[in-house]
Amino acid sequence: MSGPQCCDNPPTLNPSSGDGFMEQLGGLNAYVIGSQDSKLAILLISDIFGYEAPNFRKLADKVAAAGFYVAVPDYFNGDPFSPENPERPFTVWLKDHGTDKGFEATKPIIQALKSKGISKIGAAGFCWGSKVAVELAKCELIQAAVLLHPVFVTLDDIKEVKVPIAVLGAEIDRFSPPELLKQFEEVLAAKSEVDGFVKIYPKTSHGWTIRYKVEDEAAAMEAHSDMIQWFVKFVKR
């Protein structure tokens, strides 16, 4: 994941972006938005650039507008990956921010959401965050999951998923190429007890849903809509 594709079109981080506000959630800072009275929450688990990316927060605002309480935790504790730091290449950065740590950090976040009266939770993982989301789906800590241009997710992960899961992938993606996504689809099709959905978006590249260029924006919006509809179907039901 240390190649140029994972770092293509990096965002300009802005801590004041979005219409929500900051809150401590399960020991982490989090950007939150949505009705405080909602019983339904969506966790958005970021890519390596973290929770201050304006497009990412704009998506959180969009999900909240669909009727959810949305939480976007700072899994990296103020230390998102910076491709401009030659002294800390991705492999070094990842040692401090493994997806296993992200999974463990999510457990108290889920408890904090439940303490607010939340009864059902969905999780969407982007790039790095997809591995965290699939781990949550394997142990039923959430009610539905969406993986967007996933990284580190294996066939064995998909085989162990226990909740409805959608995988939204790019046509041009060396981390989760269409060949692998089609294998995911075959595994899910054989799991009659779990609702599954796999979609490959033509002419898109890894990261397109939140680091989209102008020419990718329509496909990004389509993926956002597909993600929200998945949560409406399986978290709101």
Side-chain angles (χ1 to χ4, degrees):
M1 192 183 156
S2 57
Q5 199 176 40
C6 79
C7 306
D8 189 40
N9 203 32
T12 299
L13 303 183
N14 181 358
S16 63
S17 60
D19 295 329
F21 59 94
M22 299 301 299
E23 184 176 289
Q24 276 278 314
L25 203 61
L28 293 182
N29 289 326
Y31 173 84
V32 297
I33 187 167
S35 172
Q36 297 284 333
D37 298 324
S38 177
K39 304 297 183 187
L40 311 173
I42 303 299
L43 267 175
L44 296 187
I45 307 172
S46 74
D47 66 4
I48 59 177
F49 296 106
Y51 82 140
E52 293 181 348
N55 281 350
F56 197 47
R57 291 193 176 181
K58 188 185 299 183
L59 177 55
D61 297 352
K62 187 188 298 186
V63 176
F68 298 100
Y69 182 78
V70 182
V72 188
D74 178 16
Y75 283 97
F76 309 135
N77 293 296
D79 182 38
F81 177 65
S82 173
E84 297 177 356
N85 184 357
E87 296 181 2
R88 205 144 179 259
F90 178 76
T91 51
V92 174
W93 178 87
L94 189 62
K95 289 178 181 177
D96 293 328
H97 302 295
T99 54
D100 55 335
K101 295 179 181 177
F103 172 63
E104 291 301 325
T106 306
K107 294 177 182 178
I109 292 171
I110 289 174
Q111 288 304 313
L113 289 171
K114 288 181 177 179
S115 73
K116 290 176 175 287
I118 298 292
S119 59
K120 299 181 77 174
I121 301 170
F126 300 75
C127 186
W128 179 95
S130 65
K131 181 66 170 180
V132 178
V134 81
E135 292 296 334
L136 296 171
K138 286 160 62 176
C139 57
E140 296 182 273
L141 285 172
I142 55 175
Q143 279 64 59
V146 179
L147 314 183
L148 301 99
H149 33 89
V151 170
F152 306 134
V153 177
T154 67
L155 267 178
D156 285 339
D157 287 329
I158 299 299
K159 289 176 182 177
E160 294 177 34
V161 163
K162 295 181 174 66
V163 302
I165 187 166
V167 183
L168 310 183
E171 182 180 31
I172 306 161
D173 192 335
R174 66 185 181 86
F175 308 113
S176 290
E179 297 77 23
L180 178 60
L181 297 179
K182 288 172 183 174
Q183 290 179 303
F184 288 176
E185 187 172 36
E186 291 169 3
V187 168
L188 289 170
K191 288 172 67 74
S192 58
E193 73 280 12
V194 173
D195 288 284
F197 174 70
V198 176
K199 182 173 178 177
I200 299 169
Y201 297 76
K203 300 179 181 178
T204 59
S205 298
H206 181 82
W208 97 97
T209 65
I210 48 176
R211 286 184 274 130
Y212 49 84
K213 299 174 183 176
V214 173
E215 60 268 26
D216 297 327
E217 187 168 2
M221 298 305 112
E222 181 182 349
H224 296 172
S225 177
D226 291 339
M227 179 190 79
I228 291 169
Q229 287 307 309
W230 190 258
F231 288 136
V232 167
K233 184 175 182 180
F234 293 107
V235 177
K236 278 194 171 184
R237 70 178 181 181

